Amino acid sequence: MVLDANNDADVTRNLEAKVYYKSASEAEYSQDNLCADLSFTITNSSPNDTVSIPVGIAPNDFDHGEYDFRVELYEKGTNTLVVISDEENTPALSNVKLETEDEDTFHFTIDKVWWTDFVDLDKDSYTSRRKLHFDVNVDRNRTFPVYAKVFEKLPDSTEYDLYDSTAYFNVTGTNTDDAYSVIVGTTKAELDSASYDFLISVFQTVNDTGEIIRYTVSSATLDTLKLQKFETAHQDSTGIKP
């Protein structure tokens, strides 16, 4: 909150500010002053003597809602009230929408992972191709563009290798019809006969160039991604045993 106080004489005055708040649906203001011991000086109508008060930063954070504010200015060191502004005479102090930092953060999850379209010509339980589906959700009823990376590794390996990176796709709230899938076992990215662990990470682009991981699920916590049997198309078509 930025305050620009002025007076109609070419003199400097020392002031103290008190700021109170209330829920927009309530009648009485809280007795908590958001800016204890805030003093400053003003000179005539100079625009260079503004003072700012952090609102929404601990300890002055607010739960999700709309709030009204009242600003009282006093002569420093006295109880002489110079001016008062509130939601009735200052629109900027009325119905201010605020929420906590945690409420302002979007939380993504991958709530379901499953496989379909198994190709196993020699019926040895090792597939040469199938689809990996995953449903990404977010705890707001809004649509977000995201992309995913799928990684694989052999069970005795400690490092995952990138298998595929998807195009952007949209996720909306907890909708179940926005699930995405990738094909595992494509001609250009076959997996040699073995059991594999998989990992899926969901990303968002930030500041146009950077990327941030929003959620990751792996074989460490999900059996659907653990010890999945694959082989090449040639191994599957010729019946070569793993």
Side-chain angles (χ1 to χ4, degrees), residues 205-225:
T205 298
V206 293
N207 299 325
D208 295 329
T209 56
E211 64 179 19
I212 183 170
I213 298 177
R214 288 303 188 184
Y215 196 79
T216 292
V217 64
S218 75
S219 59
T221 57
L222 192 63
D223 286 344
T224 311
L225 297 174

Side-chain angles (χ1 to χ4, degrees), residues 5 17 19 22 33 39 49 52 56 96 114 123 135 138 149 155 169 179 222:
V19 177
K22 70 178 180 68
N33 175 18
S39 60
D49 53 14
S52 62
V96 180
W114 70 102
K123 307 302 181 185
D135 181 24
V138 60
K149 293 181 180 180
F169 58 96
L222 192 63

Side-chain angles (χ1 to χ4, degrees), residues 21 32-36 53-62 98-99:
Y21 67 91
D32 297 327
N33 175 18
L34 296 182
C35 54
I53 301 163
V55 176
I57 301 174
N60 297 338
D61 49 358
F62 291 81
L98 295 168
E99 63 185 0

Side-chain angles (χ1 to χ4, degrees), residues 108-111 113 134 136 147-151 160 198-203 212-222 225:
F108 290 80
T109 56
I110 299 176
D111 290 326
V113 178
F134 45 95
V136 180
Y147 64 96
K149 293 181 180 180
V150 177
F151 301 82
Y160 281 92
F198 289 87
L199 178 148
I200 306 169
S201 291
V202 176
F203 293 79
I212 183 170
I213 298 177
R214 288 303 188 184
Y215 196 79
T216 292
V217 64
S218 75
S219 59
T221 57
L222 192 63
L225 297 174

Side-chain angles (χ1 to χ4, degrees), residues 165-197:
S165 183
T166 75
Y168 280 93
F169 58 96
N170 289 328
V171 296
T172 304
T174 57
N175 286 359
T176 58
D177 57 359
D178 56 8
Y180 200 82
S181 66
V182 298
I183 298 174
V184 179
T186 60
T187 303
K188 61 182 179 180
E190 290 186 308
L191 295 175
D192 197 17
S193 182
S195 295
Y196 294 85
D197 292 340

